[in-house]
Every structure is written in structure tokens, then in C-alpha cells.
Amino acid sequence: MYRLLGTRSADGAALVLGAYRGIVLCDGYAAYRALAKRGAGDRAGPTITLAHCWAHVLRQYVEAEPAYPPAAEVLALIGQLYAADAAAQATAAGDPARFLAERRARVIPR
């Protein structure tokens, strides 16, 4: 389901999320952070957890690298995560539980 609003404010995000409580996968837009931090009203900060999209994180480092060459190290690490994800997906044969187990086995530090 899609919902288009005339605003990108935290109030707009709250309207879209309604009574939802849990993990919100989103970009790094400030409205989501503001919504997660709210301490008053019917949506207190701890009721949602932000999980940012790797594509947006990747883009930030790609943009930073020309001015800050150490960003290349982070880009390499993100590349390793993408490779582990692809390998886990190939091994899991469409089984979500197996995919998660494979991914964890490949990316969680020991």
C-alpha cells in the first residue's frame, strides 16, 4: 500500500505509521529520527526502532569518498555484506529461515 502526503514531516510519518510499533526500514530522512525520538503523545520514542536502508548508507559513503578517501574502507565492508547476502540467498533456495541463518553465519563476527 502506498500513501502520498503533501508533507515530509514527522507528523506525516506518524500519520502513515498510525498505531504501528516495531522496526521501521527507512532512509536517513530526519523526520523518521524525529518521530523515533518523540517523548510525548501516543508514540513515545522506544515504540519504533529505525533500521536504515543499506542503499542509502552506501550512497552517503560513495558521495564522501572523493573528499575523504578512508570512506573506501567502509565501501569495501559494505560490499562484503552485499556479497554475503547474495551467497546466503543463493544457498537458502527461497527459505526465509534458512536465508537468515546463512546470513548470520556469514556476517556476524565470531
Side-chain angles (χ1 to χ4, degrees), residues 21-106:
R21 302 292 188 260
I23 297 172
V24 175
L25 180 63
C26 59
D27 62 13
Y29 191 64
Y32 300 113
R33 287 191 306 273
L35 184 59
K37 289 180 183 179
R38 281 190 182 171
D42 63 340
R43 179 180 285 287
T47 61
I48 64 169
T49 301
L50 299 181
H52 296 288
C53 167
W54 275 110
H56 286 89
V57 173
L58 177 68
R59 184 182 69 210
Q60 296 287 324
Y61 280 95
V62 166
E63 291 172 358
E65 186 182 22
Y68 188 71
E73 183 179 348
V74 176
L75 289 170
L77 292 170
I78 293 172
Q80 290 175 18
L81 286 175
Y82 279 160
D85 216 42
Q89 208 158 29
T91 304
D95 179 354
R98 187 169 175 201
F99 169 74
L100 289 174
E102 289 288 334
R103 179 196 276 168
R104 286 184 183 116
R106 295 168 192 276

